Amino acid sequence: MGKSKICDMLDIEYPIFQGAMAWVAEEKLASAVSNAGGLGLIASGHAPKEIIKEKIDIARQLTDKTFGVNIMLMSPFVEDIVDLVIEEKVKVITTGAGSPGKYMKRFKEAGIIVIPVVASVAVARRMEKEGADAVVVEGMEGGGHVGKSTTMTLVPQVVDAINIPVIAAGGIGDGRGVAAALMLGAEAVQLGTRFLVSTDSIAHENFKNKVVKAKDIDTVLTGQLTGHPVRGLRNSLTKEYLKVERFEGGQENPDFERLEKLGQGALKRAVVDGDVKNSSLMAGQIAGLIKTDTQSCDEIIQELMKETTEVLQERANMWGV
């Protein structure tokens, strides 16, 4: 496989992005992915500027490769984080939960590569017009907050609609998935769940074990009633959440206050505390394909690229190319 345009743009070796998973995508994981030739990302989430500044400093001690910061645009500290990435001359950012349009001029003046995460053709077109350098197109198969379209259907439609590089995300966990995304027109892929279970991930072993043991039907969407659907592994929390949401409880008047209370601190309980019953085990549908939590990020990326190359070569031979 040759280098894609996005690899040249970011000065990375392989077209592999690590998803910006809250509580999981910190400086150690990001630097490990970058050292392995991909693009590691530090998730800023709802953390204040000082915390993210420290993470950037540590990442720079751990790697001299390109890494980025994901900016959650709904964060109460978003203005500070925007100032920070500009001050720190971060090479690339991804954005989620909103449009980075109001900050685009400042990002461009600072020479920052801007890659928003999108879940529709319309938003992808808007991001291109506003000056985005590329977009991450995320299908509903992914873990965490998701849209309504599948990766298989959404990626080629976005590829046809815009002229900037597309990074495919959602439901990709091995070389077959990478090859499929490339065939759909993507120039790179983003993986979350696969890196969550790596030995470089700080996610609690209980969480990792749940992912490894998951079957194909073990994820569920909650939050659909609130308009902010989240995909994660089934547990006591999702069962209770679905009851309150009416989907499994038959209630006519959902208790939104109860829903908010159920979600508070739920991801931290999974990642940090290892509570796999009353927590949000955010993971994608690809969890059923993941069978080990003993690989480093470097081993994962090398395996992904080897599998991708083999799959593409097999198909080329099949077609007589």
Side-chain angles (χ1 to χ4, degrees), residues 38 55 103 135 137 148 156 169 189 205 213 215-216 219 234 271 313 318:
K55 292 180 181 297
Y103 309 110
V135 291
V137 177
K148 296 182 178 180
V189 297
E205 287 303 316
K213 292 177 181 178
K215 299 186 291 295
D216 60 325
T219 69
R234 297 176 187 272
V271 177
Q313 188 60 57
M318 182 185 300

Side-chain angles (χ1 to χ4, degrees), residues 25-222:
E26 43 70 75
E27 62 273 19
K28 294 176 184 176
L29 181 63
S31 60
V33 171
S34 292
N35 281 332
L39 179 71
L41 290 165
I42 295 171
S44 64
H46 293 280
K49 181 177 181 178
E50 300 74 29
I51 297 296
I52 304 307
K53 167 71 164 65
E54 183 179 2
K55 292 180 181 297
I56 292 172
D57 289 344
I58 295 173
R60 282 179 169 157
Q61 294 172 19
L62 296 173
T63 184
D64 59 358
K65 308 291 186 182
T66 302
F67 67 89
V69 172
N70 173 267
I71 301 178
M72 185 62 65
L73 295 166
M74 289 179 63
S75 166
F77 303 106
V78 63
E79 301 290 340
D80 290 341
I81 301 301
V82 168
D83 290 342
L84 176 66
V85 297
I86 292 172
E87 292 164 5
E88 291 295 314
K89 296 180 172 57
V90 173
K91 182 169 183 173
V92 56
I93 63 166
T94 61
T95 65
S99 168
K102 66 181 288 188
Y103 309 110
M104 195 66 78
K105 185 173 184 292
R106 294 183 62 201
F107 289 146
K108 291 301 178 180
E109 289 174 348
I112 295 174
I113 296 168
V114 182
I115 307 178
V117 178
V118 304
S120 73
V121 170
V123 175
R125 281 179 170 148
R126 189 168 86 241
M127 293 301 97
E128 181 180 33
K129 288 180 181 178
E130 291 183 356
D133 297 283
V135 291
V136 174
V137 177
E138 186 173 47
M140 66 178 295
E141 301 96 321
H145 295 276
V146 296
K148 296 182 178 180
S149 299
T150 66
T151 304
M152 177 68 76
T153 57
L154 185 59
V155 168
Q157 292 183 71
V158 174
V159 168
D160 289 348
I162 62 177
N163 296 305
I164 54 178
V166 168
I167 298 96
I172 301 170
D174 64 4
R176 292 171 295 181
V178 177
L182 296 177
M183 290 299 95
L184 293 175
E187 292 199 16
V189 297
Q190 178 171 288
L191 294 81
T193 310
R194 183 76 188 270
F195 286 125
L196 182 150
V197 301
S198 72
T199 55
D200 299 298
S201 165
I202 63 167
H204 199 285
E205 287 303 316
N206 292 351
F207 190 175
K208 293 181 182 181
N209 289 338
K210 288 290 287 186
V211 173
V212 171
K213 292 177 181 178
K215 299 186 291 295
D216 60 325
I217 59 172
D218 282 349
T219 69
V220 64
L221 279 178
T222 57

Side-chain angles (χ1 to χ4, degrees), residues 202-270:
I202 63 167
H204 199 285
E205 287 303 316
N206 292 351
F207 190 175
K208 293 181 182 181
N209 289 338
K210 288 290 287 186
V211 173
V212 171
K213 292 177 181 178
K215 299 186 291 295
D216 60 325
I217 59 172
D218 282 349
T219 69
V220 64
L221 279 178
T222 57
Q224 295 188 73
L225 195 63
T226 65
H228 301 287
V230 173
R231 183 177 298 285
L233 298 176
R234 297 176 187 272
N235 63 2
S236 298
L237 180 73
T238 62
K239 184 176 182 180
E240 178 65 19
Y241 205 101
L242 289 171
K243 282 184 179 180
V244 180
E245 278 195 301
R246 247 185 343 195
F247 295 120
E248 292 183 2
Q251 299 180 41
E252 294 184 5
N253 299 303
D255 186 345
F256 287 100
E257 189 174 319
R258 173 66 175 152
L259 291 177
E260 183 177 356
K261 186 176 180 181
L262 284 170
Q264 287 178 348
L267 183 56
K268 181 183 177 184
R269 291 197 293 273

